[in-house]
Amino acid sequence: MRIEKRMGDSEEEEEIGRQQKQTLIDGVAERLLSGDLDSKIQAAIDIRNILRNSSVKIRSKFTAAAAVIQPLVSLLLSPNQHAAEVSLLALLTLAARNERNKVRIVTSGAVPPLVELLKFQNGRLRELAIAAILTLSAAAPNKLTIAASGAAPLLVQILSSGSVQGKVDAVTALHYLSSCTEATTPVIDARAVSPLIKLLKDCKKYSKFAEKTTALLEILSKSEEGQTAISNSDGGILTLVETIEDGSLVSTEHAVGALLSLCQSCRNKYRELILKEGAIPGLLRLTVEGTPEAQERARMLLDLLRDSPPEKRLASSVLERIAYDIAARVDGSDKAAETAKRLLQDMVHRSMELSLGHIQRRAASCTPSQIPPT
């Protein structure tokens, strides 16, 4: 009986707690809808405090019952910067871990005022606006609206002038927006190349940030303007080569894709530039250790980088077939695949040693006047 009584008391306490929270929510919503500016500011602060540690269910119930998103969006337009800041924080809290709220915020008209806030010199407001664009861009239904809003060029500017966190958020937002297939024009253009190269140069090549940055560079490498910008950027091709050597499986795939796009567009123009940066060892290793897509891209690029004319080149697929046939004769068909892979790995490592030796001999033969300035 005592256990049943305790359970009954607990359920009653939970119900009282829910009723109290609902009363608080209704009061906050009323102030936000019809109060003066100070009341609305405090209501926005209260919304964030109420929801900060609440479940997704409570967040959905809050917005459905109180319809607070629209008045919060209206508060973004206030000339009072404190009002804009607290409304942004409340909207970010509502959007966190809630896809439906993200869509509601955009359909309520939040994107135009957020784009205006991206232009602000006020660092705090601009940082929050970047975070909001990033958060809202994660929802697929929002991508086209944000891509068409003019936010992307402002995000590209932030790649050069923003804080460290602002740059990280801007890259992630551009990465989300770049996957918008409905956009009639590219989300970013060649003006993004130089800051992206600099960010990639300065970051850890195996990081998630590098993966997003190289993905954007691969997209930009598809256009003639983007190709020119990559080759003209300080250390552009070298940075992609270093990413192939030190990056994660994802970033190496994007980096080799970017270099392949360059070489496919104009082999005569880009072949020597890529070779000069010592791309061969990393590409050889990638043919064995990369993702299937990266391996194929590395083989294609290696074929393009060879001196011999196309009709005399030994395609990588032919080389693999030869290795497999040799392995089958030596170890039988059961172990042929494993033996062929080992043979190819040995060939790759030997080729890498030869390539490095060739580079060292060339460097040793250079006179000081022939060595390019760093």
Side-chain angles (χ1 to χ4, degrees), residues 73-260:
V73 168
S74 298
L75 206 56
L76 288 175
L77 299 167
S78 171
N80 184 306
Q81 292 191 5
H82 183 51
E85 179 178 332
V86 296
S87 65
L88 254 175
L89 288 168
L91 288 167
L92 279 166
T93 307
L94 286 164
R97 296 178 290 125
N98 192 305
E99 195 84 353
R100 185 177 296 176
N101 282 352
K102 289 182 177 76
V103 175
R104 283 173 173 161
I105 290 168
V106 169
T107 56
S108 296
V111 174
L114 286 174
V115 170
E116 289 303 310
L117 290 174
L118 288 177
K119 302 173 185 177
F120 264 47
Q121 296 305 309
N122 181 316
R124 171 71 173 167
L125 270 177
R126 189 168 74 156
E127 296 284 310
L128 288 173
I130 300 167
I133 291 288
L134 161 61
T135 301
L136 299 175
S137 298
N142 292 340
K143 290 182 180 180
L144 181 58
T145 301
I146 298 172
S149 69
L154 296 169
L155 292 172
V156 169
Q157 290 178 17
I158 288 159
L159 298 180
S160 300
S161 61
S163 66
V164 172
Q165 188 60 53
K167 292 174 181 178
V168 171
D169 287 350
V171 165
T172 306
L174 288 168
H175 184 251
Y176 282 143
L177 294 174
S178 67
S179 65
C180 179
T181 55
E182 297 92 347
T184 55
T185 57
V187 173
I188 53 174
D189 59 29
R191 287 172 291 184
V193 167
S194 181
L196 285 172
I197 289 290
K198 187 176 188 311
L199 290 170
L200 181 59
K201 189 188 300 184
D202 294 340
C203 76
K204 294 177 180 177
K205 305 298 187 292
Y206 53 81
S207 64
K208 294 291 183 184
F209 180 75
E211 292 176 1
K212 297 181 180 74
T213 305
T214 49
L216 292 170
L217 286 167
E218 184 183 359
I219 291 169
L220 290 163
S221 72
K222 306 296 183 186
S223 71
E224 184 178 351
E225 295 81 4
Q227 293 156 8
T228 301
I230 290 171
S231 63
N232 289 344
S233 291
D234 181 27
I237 291 177
L238 176 59
T239 301
L240 290 171
V241 170
E242 290 173 344
T243 305
I244 289 172
E245 294 171 346
D246 301 326
S248 68
L249 289 174
V250 174
S251 57
T252 54
E253 182 177 313
H254 290 310
V256 72
L259 291 180
L260 179 60

Side-chain angles (χ1 to χ4, degrees), residues 335-364:
K335 297 182 179 178
E338 183 180 343
T339 303
K341 184 177 180 181
R342 193 163 59 249
L343 279 171
L344 286 168
Q345 286 176 329
D346 290 342
M347 292 168 67
V348 164
H349 291 311
R350 177 58 180 158
S351 182
M352 287 172 65
E353 289 173 0
L354 291 172
S355 296
L356 288 169
H358 178 63
I359 292 168
Q360 289 169 348
R361 286 193 297 275
R362 283 183 61 188

